[in-house]
Amino acid sequence: MKQLLTEKPKVLRMVDVDQPKIEGPKDVLVKIKAAGICGSDVHIYHGTSPVATYPRVMGHEITGVVAEIGKAVTRVKPGDPVIVDQIVACGECYPCKIGRPNICCALKVRGVHIDGGYREYLCAGENAMHLLPEGLPFTEAVMIEPMSIAFQACSRAEITAGDTVFILGAGALGKSIIKAALLTGATLIAADVADRRLEEAKALGVNLVINSQKEDLPAKLKEYTTWGPTVSIDAAGFPASLPLLTDLTCNAGRIITMAFLEEPSPVQQFKITAKELDIRGSRLQNNRFEEVIAAYRAGKITIEGQVSHVFPFSKAIEAFERIDSGDPSIGKIALSYE
Ligand code: MN
């Protein structure tokens, strides 16, 4: 079979390798149908991921069809359309034991620490398999993964209908968070520097949008909330964003960080202590695929319409070159393995 190997940063090669085989009784062999290219894949490709190792087969937004199953598999059968969970956890460490395998101390993420979906076949345990909803094309269904990241952030924030949630950044991540947060019934505020993204946020149902470049963000928030948002989610992730959110968030509020930013953020402990702020990280997702799929099935969220370009898997290297070209029409790319 073919696989796209990132030998080292910026060096991609399409190589021929043996097809993986079912090894354990709980293994499932998946014929991959589509895989998304995520911002984090582009970081791995560029050599700017703080977690990836090389050589690596990237790809963690993976959909396909079950090709073969081990003897003890009950969750799926050959022919089933699935999305593959990207998390492989040890099951033994503290976070695993308290039900948080997404931050396992020995965490392996497909496409990051171990090989992912930019190949024709993948073998994984049945627990990683989630049945896709009927009628959702494979190239669109890859977006269930980014949506699961947004569900995780909202879960970490413990949003209730009484909250006022401030989402900093209305790009792809911010928009997914908006969609997930809308399900909670909370009041939503989004800020960005691009009017186009704010218009999209407004169209999704955000109550108030603020252009933080043109408007006075603290003053606007104060005018709208008096005491500040009760939850702030950082979907922008720059060094000044965390100190900004410790300023803006209401006393007793929660702040959610999501970036893999290695640069330090100058935060005043005083703000955290005096306001009893909860600053919580949100990484990947903890069993959120089924929730996303259920919300989609119930018509509560949309998944389609976010992929701007589909490239055949054979042209995956070209897809990465197009991203590097800075072509403004390129939004989300899905690779199709037909
Ligand atoms: Mn992703």
Side-chain angles (χ1 to χ4, degrees), residues 15-16 32 77 85 94 126 128 154 205 209 226 239 271 278 286 289 301 327:
V15 295
D16 273 302
I32 298 174
K77 58 182 190 309
D85 201 309
Y94 171 68
E126 70 168 334
C154 292
V209 297
T226 311
K271 295 270 166 57
D278 284 332
N286 181 7
F289 281 89
I301 53 163
D327 178 347

Side-chain angles (χ1 to χ4, degrees), residues 219-266:
K220 273 269 172 191
L221 279 178
K222 195 167 173 25
E223 178 191 316
Y224 195 76
T225 65
T226 311
W227 302 110
T230 57
V231 170
S232 294
I233 301 181
D234 188 355
F238 50 94
S241 58
L242 186 58
L244 176 70
L245 295 178
T246 60
D247 281 341
L248 300 177
T249 307
C250 181
N251 293 19
R254 284 89 73 202
I255 297 172
I256 306 299
T257 72
M258 303 186 75
F260 270 21
L261 191 69
E262 289 183 293
E263 228 174 304
S265 292

Side-chain angles (χ1 to χ4, degrees), residues 112-139:
V112 180
H113 313 90
I114 56 172
D115 286 345
Y118 295 165
R119 51 180 161 157
E120 292 177 305
Y121 285 88
L122 174 153
C123 189
E126 70 168 334
N127 288 344
M129 303 296 148
H130 302 283
L131 271 184
L132 286 179
E134 312 68 39
L136 186 61
F138 291 106
T139 51

